[in-house]
Amino acid sequence: MKKQTIRIIGVPMDLGQNRRGVDMGPSAIRYANLQARLERLGHTVLDEGNLAVPNPEEHVAEGSGRRLKAVAAVCNNVYQLASNFIAGGDFAIFLGGDHSISIGTIAAAAETGSVGVIWIDAHGDFNTSSTSPSGNIHGMPMAALVGQGADLLVDVGYPGAKLHPSQIVQIGIRDLDQVERKELANSGITIFTMRNIDELGTAAIAHQAIDRLRHLDSIHISLDMDSLDPYEAPGVGTPVPGGLTYREAHLLMEILGDSGRVRSFDIVEINPILDDMNKTAELAVELAASLLGQRIL
């Protein structure tokens, strides 16, 4: 694999949901030696540190209205920083934090050229404030990116939708809210549920995902660690049984990496408070390595 300059940006945000802990995700991943692991593959790795993010107890983020504004503000800051790195040709890795950070990262990726998004998640994240049973913003980024939901989220970076449904492939989906299920089924997004993976196999799904996005210049991967089975990744806020196995996740990353088209990567929703000896963060580092060139032979 081509050696690259890789920029690591931490976004320790846990404003998108009500369970504390994912703000420590970037630290857990760094503690699992992400930079050293990628440097051993021959890449030049630059850690840009963390963006400043308010915590839910601060006045700026208290209450649902202020929290929405705080999330949008952080995502706009993510967008500004991400735009510089992606436009400069560097590979960018964004460490969450909850999945709402992807509104900013994908806005930046979409602005630099035609981009496909591979969304690897147990959840569809296709709710809006009017459909979400919980009101948690980390369940809304996919809807916001196609132009649905609160204007503050839809207009992160620049006004309007960032993606057309034909630019999105979701993999690993197995837990959807009732209204969200109907909206997502009618959205035009390509969705591979866990049943599809069981029936067709991970390799076929990975190749189909790449093929669905062949008309686009590059690929952004957004990896929610709850896409994996809780046995493999216990340190997540919303675990759902029946997820990807260790080898399925690695094979998926290896095949996507082989395409040579991935230019940016989110790793989100690691909660060290709920983890077992940093197991989930260590697995995230292994998956990043598989995406960026680690192979058995």
Side-chain angles (χ1 to χ4, degrees):
M1 178 171 285
K2 175 184 172 184
K3 307 310 176 188
Q4 304 182 68
T5 297
I6 299 172
R7 306 269 185 171
I8 297 172
I9 304 98
V11 190
M13 178 159 70
D14 64 350
L15 297 172
Q17 37 82 57
N18 292 319
R19 174 174 271 180
R20 298 303 310 271
V22 292
D23 57 318
M24 295 184 286
S27 295
I29 299 170
R30 290 183 172 107
Y31 184 76
N33 294 314
L34 174 64
Q35 181 168 352
R37 186 67 175 269
L38 298 181
E39 287 174 341
R40 288 202 298 271
L41 297 174
H43 301 296
T44 299
V45 183
L46 305 173
D47 193 329
E48 304 293 336
N50 287 347
L51 283 176
V53 178
N55 67 58
E57 288 76 30
E58 292 183 52
H59 178 70
V60 69
E62 286 181 336
S64 59
R66 287 199 184 103
R67 185 170 286 197
L68 175 62
K69 292 178 181 178
V71 169
V74 172
C75 287
N76 273 295
N77 290 339
V78 172
Y79 158 79
Q80 294 290 345
L81 187 58
S83 294
N84 294 331
F85 297 146
I86 295 174
D90 293 340
F91 191 101
I93 298 178
F94 304 96
L95 309 179
D98 67 60
H99 215 157
S100 58
I101 74 166
S102 297
I103 301 173
T105 65
I106 293 173
E111 190 177 37
T112 58
S114 61
V115 65
V117 171
I118 297 180
W119 191 271
I120 307 170
D121 199 331
H123 308 91
D125 291 350
F126 204 69
N127 274 307
T128 65
S129 57
S130 63
T131 66
S132 171
S134 67
N136 289 337
I137 299 171
H138 75 161
M140 304 180 188
M142 191 87 275
L145 287 163
V146 298
Q148 299 181 24
D151 289 343
L152 281 173
L153 301 180
V154 171
D155 293 340
V156 163
Y158 44 96
K162 308 306 185 288
L163 299 171
H164 185 272
S166 63
Q167 294 173 261
I168 305 166
V169 175
Q170 293 193 329
I171 297 175
I173 305 300
R174 60 190 185 278
D175 185 25
L176 299 171
D177 297 315
Q178 185 173 359
V179 177
E180 179 189 31
R181 179 183 291 109
K182 295 177 182 178
E183 295 292 330
L184 195 55
N186 295 325
S187 67
I189 293 171
T190 298
I191 303 165
F192 295 109
T193 67
M194 285 306 302
R195 173 174 175 168
N196 299 135
I197 293 174
D198 292 340
E199 291 182 338
L200 301 175
T202 304
I205 296 295
H207 288 299
Q208 286 187 42
I210 294 167
D211 188 57
R212 295 289 177 94
L213 304 176
R214 66 187 181 277
H215 61 294
L216 303 165
D217 296 334
S218 63
I219 292 173
H220 175 99
I221 296 175
S222 197
L223 172 65
D224 189 320
M225 290 301 291
D226 72 21
S227 61
L228 283 98
D229 191 84
Y231 177 81
E232 310 288 358
V236 298
T238 49
V240 184
L244 297 170
T245 66
Y246 179 91
R247 266 312 311 166
E248 285 174 335
H250 273 285
L251 179 59
L252 180 58
M253 290 296 110
E254 289 166 9
I255 293 173
L256 295 177
D258 287 345
S259 73
R261 298 175 57 214
V262 181
R263 299 301 312 145
S264 46
F265 182 36
D266 304 327
I267 306 172
V268 302
E269 298 286 356
I270 294 175
N271 190 330
I273 295 173
L274 305 175
D275 208 1
D276 179 12
M277 301 292 290
N278 215 35
K279 178 179 180 180
T280 305
E282 290 177 355
L283 177 53
V285 170
E286 292 178 15
L287 294 175
S290 286
L291 178 67
L292 285 155
Q294 181 76 51
R295 297 294 180 268
I296 296 170
L297 287 174

